[in-house]
C-alpha cells in the first residue's frame, strides 16, 4: 500500500512543464511528504477539466457518499487500487470508465526491511521533474473531488529495492495524456495503456528515518543516507 508521495515542484515549474495552469493557483503549496492517511490534497488533471490543474482529496469516496472521509477509509482504504480491480463490479469500475485523472507528483516512497529495521527510499525522475500517476476520481455533491492511485506489478528499480510490497504506481507518459483523459477513448486502448511497461527513468536512494514522522525536508531527501549493510541501487 502506497500512502505517501511527494510534490515539491514550484507551481510555475509545474505549469511550465505540463503546459496548463492551476484552477486555483494560490491554493498550491509544494510538499516534501504528502501523507494520504491524513486526508491529504493532491494536484490532479481530470477528464472534466483537462486544461486545468485541480485539487482532490486522496482516497476515493463513492458518489453520493455523505459520511466522513476517515470513516470510509477505516472500512476500505482507497488510496490505491490494483489495476486488476478496475473492471470488476465495485466503486472503481465506473470511475475507471468515465472519470480518469492524472495525479501530479515529483516522487514517491518505498521501503526495504533489513535485519529487523525498516529503511525508506525516495524514488524520483532523473531530472527531478513532475510526472503523471494514473488515477480515478469521483465528484461529490458538495463539489469536492476524491481520487485513487492506480497500481501495477512492481518492476525495475522499485522491484529491486522494496521487499514489503509487489506493486508500484502506474505512470502515464506525456504523449498518452490526452488519450487517458479522453471521454471518447476506446476502453481497449485505455486497458492497453495501464499494461504498458514503465517508460520513466526512475532513480532511488535511501533517506533519513525522519521521514516516518513526516519531518524531512526536500533538501535532505535529495541526499542519500548510507546505512551499513544497505547498498545503494
Amino acid at each position: 500500500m502506497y500512502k505517501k508521495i511527494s510534490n515539491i515542484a514550484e507551481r510555475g515549474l509545474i505549469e511550465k512543464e505540463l503546459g496548463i495552469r492551476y484552477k486555483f493557483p494560490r491554493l498550491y503549496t509544494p510538499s516534501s511528504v504528502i501523507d494520504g492517511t491524513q486526508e491529504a490534497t493532491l494536484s490532479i488533471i481530470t477528464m472534466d477539466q483537462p486544461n486545468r490543474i485541480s485539487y482532490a482529496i486522496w482516497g476515493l469516496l463513492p458518489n453520493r457518499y455523505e459520511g466522513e472521509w476517515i470513516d470510509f477509509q477505516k472500512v476500505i482504504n482507497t488510496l490505491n487500487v490494483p489495476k486488476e480491480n478496475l473492471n470488476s463490479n465495485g466503486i472503481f469500475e465506473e470511475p475507471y470508465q468515465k472519470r480518469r485523472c492524472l495525479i501530479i507528483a515529483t516522487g514517491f516512497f518505498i521501503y526495504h526491511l533489513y535485519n529487523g529495521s525498516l529503511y525508506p527510499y525516495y524514488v524520483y525522475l532523473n531530472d527531478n521533474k513532475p510526472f503523471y500517476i494514473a488515477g480515478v476520481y469521483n465528484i461529490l455533491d458538495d463539489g469536492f473531488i476524491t481520487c485513487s492511485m492506480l497500481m501495477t506489478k512492481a518492476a525495475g528499480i522499485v522491484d529491486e529495492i522494496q521487499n514489503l510490497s509487489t506493486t508500484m504506481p502506474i505512470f502515464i507518459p506525456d504523449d498518452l495524456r490526452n488519450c487517458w483523459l479522453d471521454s471518447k477513448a476506446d476502453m481497449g486502448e485505455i486497458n492497453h495503456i495501464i499494461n504498458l511497461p514503465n517508460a520513466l527513468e526512475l532513480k532511488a536512494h535511501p533517506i533519513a528515518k525522519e521521514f516516518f514522522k513526516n519531518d524531512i525536508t526536500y533538501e535532505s531527501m535529495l541526499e542519500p543516507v548510507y546505512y551499513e549493510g544497505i547498498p545503494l541501487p
Side-chain angles (χ1 to χ4, degrees):
M1 177 64 67
Y2 281 64
K3 299 179 180 180
K4 295 181 179 182
I5 66 172
S6 179
N7 187 7
I8 50 74
E10 295 295 333
R11 177 174 57 85
L13 175 62
I14 293 175
E15 293 179 336
K16 178 181 179 181
E17 288 294 322
L18 307 188
I20 57 176
R21 296 185 178 278
Y22 274 86
K23 185 177 180 180
F24 301 106
R26 294 185 179 179
L27 296 181
Y28 174 73
T29 302
S31 181
S32 297
V33 180
I34 302 173
D35 187 347
T37 66
Q38 303 298 317
E39 195 169 346
T41 300
L42 302 176
S43 296
I44 72 168
I45 306 172
T46 67
M47 288 175 65
D48 294 279
Q49 292 188 310
N51 296 317
R52 285 289 183 268
I53 302 174
S54 303
Y55 302 99
I57 298 171
W58 189 5
L60 190 80
L61 296 179
N63 284 329
R64 296 178 295 278
Y65 177 75
E66 297 180 353
E68 295 292 329
W69 177 90
I70 189 62
D71 293 337
F72 190 81
Q73 297 303 312
K74 290 177 181 177
V75 174
I76 175 172
N77 189 317
T78 59
L79 299 180
N80 320 129
V81 53
K83 64 181 181 182
E84 292 79 12
N85 295 353
L86 293 171
N87 290 309
S88 60
N89 290 328
I91 65 171
F92 297 106
E93 183 179 20
E94 186 193 20
Y96 178 54
Q97 295 176 357
K98 299 180 180 180
R99 290 182 295 279
R100 296 179 298 277
C101 66
L102 296 168
I103 298 168
I104 300 169
T106 54
F108 59 98
F109 305 94
I110 59 177
Y111 311 94
H112 185 85
L113 182 65
Y114 180 77
N115 280 351
S117 294
L118 196 59
Y119 298 90
Y121 278 71
Y122 179 53
V123 185
Y124 53 100
L125 282 184
N126 191 43
D127 55 11
N128 288 305
K129 291 183 178 179
F131 54 85
Y132 299 126
I133 297 174
V136 294
Y137 69 98
N138 279 331
I139 303 177
L140 304 181
D141 290 341
D142 57 11
F144 281 99
I145 302 172
T146 63
C147 70
S148 287
M149 182 186 303
L150 308 191
M151 309 297 288
T152 189
K153 182 180 172 71
I157 196 171
V158 174
D159 187 47
E160 293 172 14
I161 295 172
Q162 69 180 12
N163 57 5
L164 294 175
S165 174
T166 60
T167 64
M168 65 185 290
I170 295 175
F171 308 111
I172 303 296
D174 189 62
D175 61 348
L176 293 176
R177 179 177 89 177
N178 291 339
C179 181
W180 180 255
L181 298 176
D182 186 357
S183 60
K184 298 180 181 179
D186 181 80
M187 287 308 298
E189 188 170 6
I190 297 301
N191 288 332
H192 175 70
I193 290 175
I194 66 172
N195 285 292
L196 290 172
N198 170 44
L200 299 184
E201 296 183 11
L202 296 173
K203 296 181 65 178
H205 60 249
I207 58 176
K209 291 187 177 182
E210 282 79 8
F211 162 79
F212 290 116
K213 299 179 181 180
N214 290 348
D215 186 21
I216 189 169
T217 64
Y218 173 61
E219 289 75 16
S220 60
M221 278 166 33
L222 292 182
E223 293 295 328
V225 175
Y226 294 89
Y227 295 106
E228 183 177 355
I230 302 293
L232 289 174

